[in-house]
Each structure stands twice: as structure tokens, then as C-alpha cells.
Amino acid sequence: MAKVKEAEGREALREADAWRTLSDVSSPPAVLEDGARPKAPLATLGRIEGRLRHVLLPWRDVHAAFAEERAHGHFFLFVPVFLGAGAALWFAAISDPSVLALLFIAFITFWPAWRLRHREDWRALTAGAAFLVPIGMLLAAFESARLDTVLLDAPVTTEITGRVLSRESDGRGAIRYRIALTATRDPTLKRAPDVVTVLAHNRHEPIVIGDGIAGRARLNPPSGPALTGLNDFAFDAYFAGTGAVGYFYKAPERVAAAPAGLEERIRQEIATWRNNLTEYIRSRIDGDAGAIAAALVTAEQRAISPETVEALRQAGLAHVLAISGLNMVLAAGTFLVGARMLMALIPGFAERYPAKKIAAVGALVMVTLYILVSGGALSAVRSWIMICVMLVAVLFGRSAISLRNVALSAILILVVTPSAITNPGFQMSYAATLGLVAGYAAWRERPVKREGRGGVLPAVGGSTGRFLGGLVLSSLIGGFSTLIYSIGHFNRIPAYGLAGNLLTMPAISAIVMPFGLVAVLLMPFGLDAIPFAIMGKGIEWMIALSNWVASWKGEIVTGRIPPAAFLLIGFGGGLVCILRTHLRHAGTLLVLIGVAIAFWPGDPVRPEVLISEDGRLVAILRDDGVATNRARPPDFVYAQWRRALRLGDVVKPTMRKTAGLTVEEEAAAVETAKKRKSSRHRANREKAKAAMASAFDAAASHAGFVCETKAFCVAVSPNEWRIVTLDDVAFLGTACDAADLVVTQAPLRTAACRSGARLITARHLRRTGALEIIPGEEENAPFILEASTIPAIETLDRPWSRHRTYDWRTGTYTSGNAEGERHRRDTQGEINETDAAISSDF
């Protein structure tokens, strides 16, 4: 069978070469039949025609191109592509696709895919796609059902008790605990998450991993996208198994914990190794250098200062902090070369024993320990799988680096964790690896000229020149391969990333990683002081250079691009790297179409009003800047808005304080309000109305918000919409009478203003996520009639968004229809007593 396949491959190559020969001989002759030379125009046309035929003739026989791709084994490279496409389709669906339907499709497409697996045309790929895409969807469905993570449905303050699974500390002494919850009380949660991440700000003795922990904490559900199309942190939390995030009000206490199972004890032991190693490295190297050194070994980055992290990003060096191919290859390569050198120094050892294979086994053990203590990020797992395949190939004398190894690692990851296909780290890691492997394969196959002595600078043409050239080429290929993912996921690119990598990579490759590996290996013997000191100096040099490059202010904010452009460019670039015949130009065409869509001339539709998911931040977009209702908008949300929409300078609100806007309730009313957890005072209607009218008058001639301290903020948008944001719901009635749009962070059950104004509460935002409000085509049209709203949450019928419909009062999930019916009842006046007490003048 193998000989038959080999013969078929040789025949396919001969057929492809025949087509190339045909394209060469089909060019018009340079001499006419009577021996005369053609005139210049005719000769030019002949050359053009010959070149066109040379390009187009291979496309006339697609079968030959497919046969050549099959001969090189490139059909196997499409297996992870089809599996990933299926998983991506499942995650992008509005509701869960039917598992039975997917099983049926996979069953009926298996036989054609199996029968056509040896064909050398497009039908083999089509049959394979028809079978593997539903398999990828089934894998995604299985992973989602297997995890079944419970996400917290609403913010809550409660007493928690659990077991510490892991912990990380930052440079200011705060410790973030990952806790397996065992109990909650005051109140007891009906639908408590299994695992939470809680930050302890107060200084205390760190609680040992595996011990019990207890304390009063504020828990919040994982946040959704800051805007539609941006990263959904609730999705990430679901597949990471994290049900809630929050913070302790005071230092947590150590309590007794129930015995853990075998698997949990193993995980706790690994987490303990990781934590101890992190703290030890930071004790050996001070400051950000020590925090980065620990991050390079254990991937714990919380101790790095935000300024240094931002400088590394702007210098294009953020990838250094991630445990990825660079770290793994440098560690494995340093161990492999160092072990072989040590064995070569032993007289007669290299002649008697296979030193290269022994070193490969040692490197295999070393990178496996590295992945255990590094936290197991997707980029690290990808690198570990590839390096393991490469080292095993060395043991059997096979080619270590190939596209098949890249595909094999992708298949293994997608089978176990199909959700990885949506992860930016996974996408960028494989894009860079694919580009580098394909790029260097093309470089090896280039026509080679005889190398000279280098002229007046022999070193430039020798080993130094090859090193610098390889460094430049690697940086160019890696940066260009991941460019679309930086734009699509982070909406920015470092303009001087190439310079940052060229300046710092020699230090990282020759100083930081090799001495870091030596230091870790010498730690059991207490001989790590000098290697760690050298590693720290190398990192300090890297930080200084990144700060210098970042001072050039070269970050390019790209804004959001259409999803179609992102998919076309990403898929087209993959085809260019995977294929080697003229078929790869189909990928080039897809890339060009994607670029045209992304940069098609014309102004994109911009929202006029942005509302954050919690209702605390509201922004009004203008041509010359953006006005916010917060003097210091939260960076986590606003930074995403700024990059996605390319926002201008922030116009801070004008703060005022008018006395007597509220009136204290009588004692009986205060007690009632305490029991109902509602407002304990009411608005002074006349003063509140006058203050709000005065604020609107000031806002009409002011580009930003005008705010009454701890009461409300008002603004007038470019389309003359009157907008009020409430810090105190006692002013709800006054705001509804005066505004077109009212936003409050309180979870009111009231659905709408009776005056006709649009009311958006935390209860509404819980189901929609962040909102973008876009004006209609008619200028200065009424807000209610013309404005369109784009929610960040596109569907509530997926496992990672279904918690938004949970009603803790009834313990059930409310459908969209039931919620809409309740809203209509509230609008018609059936408002409960609590809301009536909150806004009695409503």
C-alpha cells in the first residue's frame, strides 16, 4: 500500500511538472517564421501573453495542483482547519444546535469522506469538510456540557467558605485567591458557583493552598463584552471554570477544610510548587525584573507594574510575558545544547552512547515540568506538544520541524478543548508558528547563490549576518502573521514592534532565558544566586529598552473592523501558508478582499451614546472628543471603548453641589425603606426640577456632562437628546419628566418612564449587556422614534449567557417573552410598592 501511494505521489509530481513545462513552451516565439525579429510592441505583447499563460495554465488543470498538494501531504493540514471551523460555528450560533442533528450529519458524511480520502481533487477536501465540521461542533457541545460551569447571576454580598486552589500576589501585597466554594450564608445562594476568584486587599498572612478560607465578600458575575464584537469575559470564565469574581471586605480567615480527592491533591501540589517558585524568584530578583523573571517561569504576571506591562505592549514585547513558543524553544534548546556539550566533555561518552538522544530525553522531561509549573496556558500547551513531537522525532531520526507537527498539536488541543479556537492566544500562537514554519520552508527552497566573503565587513556576511538576518526575518514574519489578530482582538498594533524585538531579543535569547534555565536547575543545590543576578540584569536591560521604544509613542489604534474582513484575512493567510502550488493564491485573493472590506472608504456608523454593562459609565461621542459622566472613567471599560471606536480626548464633567435637593423621610418611612432596601429620602421636587433645568441649560453650551454631586448628571447629545444619569433614584421622577433618556445603575423593576422617556436600569442591562445607541438618518429626530440600540449580548440562550435570565426569587429561568410581558405590565402601572416608595413622584 505504501509503495502504491509513493508511486501515485511521483506520478502527481510528474504531471504537475508537465503542466509547468507546457506553460513554458506555450510562450510566443521570439523569432518569426521568416527569421525576422518581431517589432517591439509585438514582442512586448508576446512576453505579457507568455507570462499570463505561465500563471494561468496551472489553474486550467486544478487536478494537477491538488495532486501535488496531496503528494506533499498537505490535505492532512486541513483537518484542524475543519475541526476548528466546526467548533467556531457552534460557539457563534444563537442557540445550541441539535446534537442529534449533528450526529446524523456526521454519520451520513463519514462514508463519503472515508471512500474519497485518497482522491487527489477538490472532492476529497469537500467530503472531509462535510464530516469534520460537524465533528468539531460535537466536540464543542461535549466540552460545554462537560464543564457545565455555574456563573453567578447577579452581584451579591455574602459570607463564603471554601478551599484555596491557588493564589497570586502583586507588588502591593494584595493576594488573589482562587477558591472552591463549599458554603455561603447571609444570604445563602440558591445557585452558588463552584469556583470563584476573590481579591484580598488587606495585608494578612497568606493562606496555604489546600487550606480552608472564609470571609465576607462581594461577588460579581463575570462581565460581558464592553461593546458588541469585543471579548466576552463571561465566555472565558465559563470555559475556565470560574463562576464569579470579587473581593473580600477585610482580611480572610483560615478555617478547617474537608479532605480533598486524589486529583485535587495533585493539582494543589502543582499549584504549591508554582507559588513557591514564583515567590522564591521574586525574592532573588527585586522589582519588576523579578516579577518578569517569575512570569517567564510560572506565568504569574500580577506583580508586574501596569506601567511596565504597557511599555512592553507598546514596544511589541507582550509576547515575551506569555509562556509560548519562544520560552519553550529557548528553554528546550538551551538544555539540549548544554547537555550535549557536557556529555561531549566526558572522555569517550559521546562515542559509546547516543548523546543527542539522551539530551532529547532530558529536554523532554524538562519541558514537561515547565508546562506543569507554568499554569498550562493554551500557547504553552501548543508549544509543549510541538516540542514533544520534535524531540520524539529526534529520537527516531525524523524531521523535527514541519507543518504536520503544527497540525498535529492543533488537532490534539481542539479535540480536548475546542473552545480554544476562540482564544486570541491560540489564534496568534498558531498564526505565528504557521507563518514561521512556512516562511523558513520557502526560504530553504529559494534559489541559492554562492556566498561571498562579505567584502570589507566579513562578519556581516558570515555568522553574525545570518544571525541578524534570521532575527529580522523572524520578527517580520511573526509580526505580520499576527497583525490581523492584534487588530481584530485588541484594536491596536505597536508601530515600532519590529524595533523593540530587534533591540531586546538578543538579550532575551542569549542572557535571560539561558541563565534563567541554569538558575532553576541549580536551585536544589543553592547555587542559583549568580545565574539569577545575570538574568535580572538582562531583564532590566529589556525593560529599559522597552521604555525607550514606548517613549516614541508609536501605538496605532485601528478601531473595530468588520467580522467578515477578519475571517477572510485570517483564513486567506492560512491558505497561503499551508499550500505550496498556485492554489495558494486563492488565499491571497481572500486576503485582498478582506483588506478591501476592512478599509473600504466611507465613514463607519458610529454610536452617539455608550452605556456600560453596570450602568455606571455613560459616554456621549462627538467629533472632537467624548464626554463621560465620570471624571475618571474606569480604565478596564473605557480603554476598550477608546480602541474599538478610536475615541478622542475625554471631556470631564462639570461638578456642582446644590443644597436641599433631598428631604429626609419621616421615621416610619425610613424604617420601611430600610426593610425594603430602597431610598431613605425623597427628592425636593421643586429644587430638583430647578437644578436639573439649570444643569440642562449649562450642558447645552457645554461639551460635557453637568453633574450634581451624588445626585445626577445631565448632558445634551449632538442630536439634542437630553440625557440624565442617576446616582440617586430619588430623582427618577424628575429625570423622566425632563429627559429623553434616563440611565441608572440601580436594579429597578420599573420598565419605562410614563412620560415616554427611555429608561435603562441595571435590571435591563443585565440582559442586554453594554449598549450602543445610534442616531437615525433624520437629523435632530426625537430619540424614542429614531434611535436604534445595539446590545453587546446577542443571545441569552447559550450556556455562558443563560445565567442572565435567572430569577433568584423563584429559582427559575425567565424567558424573553415572560420578561417582556412583565415589562408591559409595569409600564401600564402595575408597579410594586417598593418602586412606588422609591419614586413617589414618578
Side-chain angles (χ1 to χ4, degrees):
M1 188 64 181
K3 293 182 177 180
V4 173
K5 290 185 178 179
E6 184 178 356
E8 291 177 351
R10 289 197 298 269
E11 181 63 28
L13 291 175
R14 283 197 296 270
E15 187 175 357
D17 291 338
W19 278 104
R20 292 196 188 96
T21 306
L22 178 60
S23 65
D24 293 336
V25 301
S26 60
S27 302
V31 180
L32 301 179
E33 292 182 359
D34 57 0
R37 292 282 180 179
K39 295 182 179 180
L42 293 178
T44 302
L45 290 175
R47 286 194 295 271
I48 293 175
E49 183 182 358
R51 290 182 180 275
L52 288 175
R53 289 187 179 184
H54 181 76
V55 174
L56 296 177
L57 270 176
W59 286 92
R60 293 178 57 183
D61 189 359
V62 180
H63 176 76
F66 271 99
E68 185 172 352
E69 298 290 352
R70 163 68 79 179
H72 287 92
H74 288 178
F75 280 15
F76 175 75
L77 306 183
F78 283 92
V79 173
V81 174
F82 296 144
L83 289 176
L89 287 174
W90 193 89
F91 292 124
I94 298 299
S95 60
D96 293 353
S98 171
V99 174
L100 292 178
L102 293 175
L103 286 171
F104 177 74
I105 294 173
F107 177 77
I108 63 175
T109 56
F110 169 75
W111 183 245
W114 179 261
R115 288 296 302 271
L116 298 175
R117 68 188 187 280
H118 296 306
R119 296 293 295 265
E120 297 174 344
D121 54 19
W122 60 270
R123 284 173 289 187
L125 275 180
T126 303
F131 172 68
L132 292 174
V133 168
I135 291 297
M137 299 179 74
L138 287 170
L139 290 173
F142 175 74
E143 181 191 18
S144 178
R146 173 175 57 85
L147 293 175
D148 195 23
T149 304
V150 177
L151 298 182
L152 186 67
D153 52 275
V156 65
T157 298
T158 182
E159 293 278 349
I160 65 171
T161 304
R163 179 188 293 109
V164 177
L165 300 178
S166 64
R167 72 169 193 251
E168 297 180 51
S169 59
D170 60 16
R172 297 180 296 274
I175 301 177
R176 184 175 65 179
Y177 292 99
R178 183 172 172 84
I179 303 170
L181 283 187
T182 56
T184 61
R185 65 182 180 86
D186 192 23
T188 300
L189 303 185
K190 295 181 180 179
R191 187 175 169 274
D194 297 322
V195 178
V196 298
T197 300
V198 188
L199 184 65
H201 292 283
N202 305 82
R203 292 189 176 273
H204 63 284
E205 185 68 24
I207 297 176
V208 178
I209 296 174
D211 284 356
I213 186 173
R216 190 156 188 85
R218 178 67 173 180
L219 300 180
N220 296 284
S223 60
L227 290 175
T228 180
L230 300 187
N231 186 61
D232 187 352
F233 297 95
F235 178 92
D236 297 339
Y238 182 90
F239 287 97
T242 304
V245 295
Y247 57 89
F248 285 110
Y249 283 102
K250 59 181 182 179
E253 301 175 353
R254 181 183 180 276
V255 297
L262 177 61
E263 181 181 355
E264 191 171 349
R265 289 201 302 271
I266 294 174
R267 292 180 181 272
Q268 290 174 3
E269 190 66 29
I270 294 174
T272 302
W273 294 348
R274 185 186 181 198
N275 182 75
N276 293 342
L277 184 57
T278 299
E279 294 179 353
Y280 182 82
I281 294 174
R282 288 172 55 189
S283 68
R284 284 293 193 177
I285 307 175
D286 296 329
D288 279 342
I292 291 177
L296 293 175
V297 178
T298 64
E300 293 191 5
Q301 305 177 15
R302 284 187 55 82
I304 308 174
S305 66
E307 296 78 14
T308 299
V309 172
E310 185 61 25
L312 291 172
R313 286 174 179 168
Q314 294 193 19
L317 296 172
H319 64 90
V320 175
L321 299 179
I323 304 297
S324 59
L326 172 66
N327 311 63
M328 285 281 183
V329 168
L330 289 177
T334 301
F335 186 94
L336 193 65
V337 173
R340 291 188 67 184
M341 290 178 61
L342 289 176
M343 286 185 284
L345 294 177
I346 302 174
F349 187 90
E351 289 78 8
R352 293 187 180 93
Y353 304 101
K356 183 178 180 180
K357 295 184 178 181
I358 294 175
V361 173
L364 193 62
V365 175
M366 188 272 300
V367 295
T368 302
L369 293 175
Y370 193 1
I371 193 66
L372 289 176
V373 299
S374 66
L378 288 173
S379 57
V381 174
R382 189 272 307 164
S383 303
W384 174 72
I385 293 174
M386 284 196 62
I387 291 175
C388 287
V389 173
M390 291 164 56
L391 293 174
V392 171
V394 170
L395 293 177
F396 289 93
R398 304 294 297 272
S399 175
I401 302 177
S402 68
L403 289 175
R404 294 180 68 87
N405 291 350
V406 179
L408 181 60
S409 65
I411 292 172
L412 293 176
I413 291 177
L414 290 174
V415 168
V416 178
T417 57
S419 59
I421 193 64
T422 65
N423 186 278
F426 176 89
Q427 296 173 10
M428 298 181 75
S429 177
Y430 273 98
T433 304
L434 194 61
L436 287 170
V437 174
Y440 276 101
W443 180 261
R444 287 195 305 267
E445 297 175 2
R446 76 191 190 283
V448 180
K449 296 182 179 180
R450 186 173 182 179
E451 185 177 352
R453 296 182 178 271
V456 296
L457 297 173
V460 176
S463 59
T464 303
R466 286 191 294 271
F467 173 76
L468 294 176
L471 185 59
V472 172
L473 186 61
S474 298
S475 299
L476 282 174
I477 294 176
F480 192 73
S481 299
T482 59
L483 182 62
I484 183 59
Y485 301 99
S486 297
I487 295 174
H489 291 293
F490 309 113
N491 311 128
R492 63 176 179 177
I493 53 176
Y496 302 114
L498 177 61
N501 279 272
L502 292 180
L503 289 172
T504 58
M505 286 310 298
I508 296 171
S509 303
I511 300 175
V512 175
M513 290 304 299
F515 280 95
L517 176 63
V518 172
V520 171
L521 294 176
L522 293 178
M523 277 175 55
F525 309 101
L527 303 175
D528 53 75
I530 295 177
F532 270 136
I534 299 174
M535 180 187 187
K537 292 297 181 182
I539 295 176
E540 290 176 358
W541 185 18
M542 180 187 74
I543 294 174
L545 290 173
S546 64
N547 285 324
W548 181 45
V549 175
S551 67
W552 302 349
K553 303 297 182 183
E555 182 183 66
I556 300 175
V557 178
T558 61
R560 285 183 300 189
I561 61 173
F566 177 81
L567 294 175
L568 287 172
I569 296 175
F571 185 68
L575 289 180
V576 172
C577 295
I578 290 175
L579 302 176
R580 61 179 295 157
T581 65
H582 284 75
L583 292 177
R584 67 179 181 272
H585 293 306
T588 305
L589 180 62
L590 293 178
V591 171
L592 294 176
I593 295 174
V595 171
I597 294 175
F599 299 100
W600 190 261
D603 296 332
V605 178
R606 281 170 60 89
E608 188 163 313
V609 179
L610 302 176
I611 304 174
S612 66
E613 182 176 352
D614 59 5
R616 298 177 183 272
L617 180 63
V618 178
I620 297 177
L621 277 59
R622 304 179 187 274
D623 294 335
D624 56 347
V626 54
T628 64
N629 65 328
R630 302 291 176 186
R632 298 180 62 183
D635 186 67
F636 177 74
V637 175
Y638 184 76
Q640 297 181 71
W641 287 3
R642 178 183 63 84
R643 294 193 299 265
L645 300 175
R646 304 181 67 181
L647 301 181
D649 297 332
V650 176
V651 179
K652 295 183 179 181
T654 301
M655 304 303 297
R656 308 191 312 186
K657 188 172 184 179
T658 303
L661 289 180
T662 60
V663 178
E664 290 296 331
E665 295 280 9
E666 297 179 358
V670 170
E671 291 301 321
T672 302
K674 286 182 179 180
K675 293 178 181 179
R676 295 170 176 172
K677 297 182 180 180
S678 61
S679 178
R680 302 178 186 179
H681 55 259
R682 59 185 177 86
N684 185 326
R685 187 176 183 85
E686 296 302 325
K687 283 193 175 183
K689 185 176 181 180
M692 193 168 291
S694 173
F696 269 122
D697 291 338
S701 58
H702 185 264
F705 280 84
V706 178
C707 299
E708 289 286 348
T709 304
K710 297 183 179 180
F712 56 81
C713 294
V714 306
V716 179
S717 74
N719 269 279
E720 298 185 2
W721 299 338
R722 297 163 69 85
I723 301 171
V724 178
T725 66
L726 295 177
D727 290 329
D728 189 340
V729 294
F731 300 96
L732 179 60
T734 306
C736 283
D737 292 338
D740 298 311
L741 172 65
V742 180
V743 181
T744 176
Q745 57 189 334
L748 304 181
R749 296 178 65 86
T750 304
C753 291
R754 293 177 180 174
S755 62
R758 176 77 176 274
L759 176 62
I760 295 177
T761 70
R763 191 177 183 86
H764 175 266
L765 292 170
R766 179 192 175 199
R767 300 177 66 86
T768 64
L771 292 177
E772 300 176 61
I773 302 178
I774 300 175
E777 298 180 358
E778 182 180 347
E779 187 175 359
N780 296 335
F783 174 80
I784 295 296
L785 297 179
E786 291 295 333
S788 60
T789 303
I790 301 177
I793 304 299
E794 299 178 354
T795 176
L796 296 173
D797 196 21
R798 300 311 305 272
W800 49 89
S801 59
R802 201 167 291 146
H803 63 284
R804 295 175 178 270
T805 66
Y806 181 77
D807 187 350
W808 62 269
R809 294 176 178 83
T810 62
T812 59
Y813 293 90
T814 59
S815 64
N817 294 334
E819 186 76 3
E821 181 61 30
R822 187 185 57 77
H823 279 181
R824 284 192 292 274
R825 291 198 305 268
D826 288 348
T827 305
Q828 293 168 2
E830 295 182 17
I831 306 173
N832 60 23
E833 296 180 0
T834 301
D835 294 326
I838 291 175
S839 52
S840 58
D841 59 345
F842 176 66

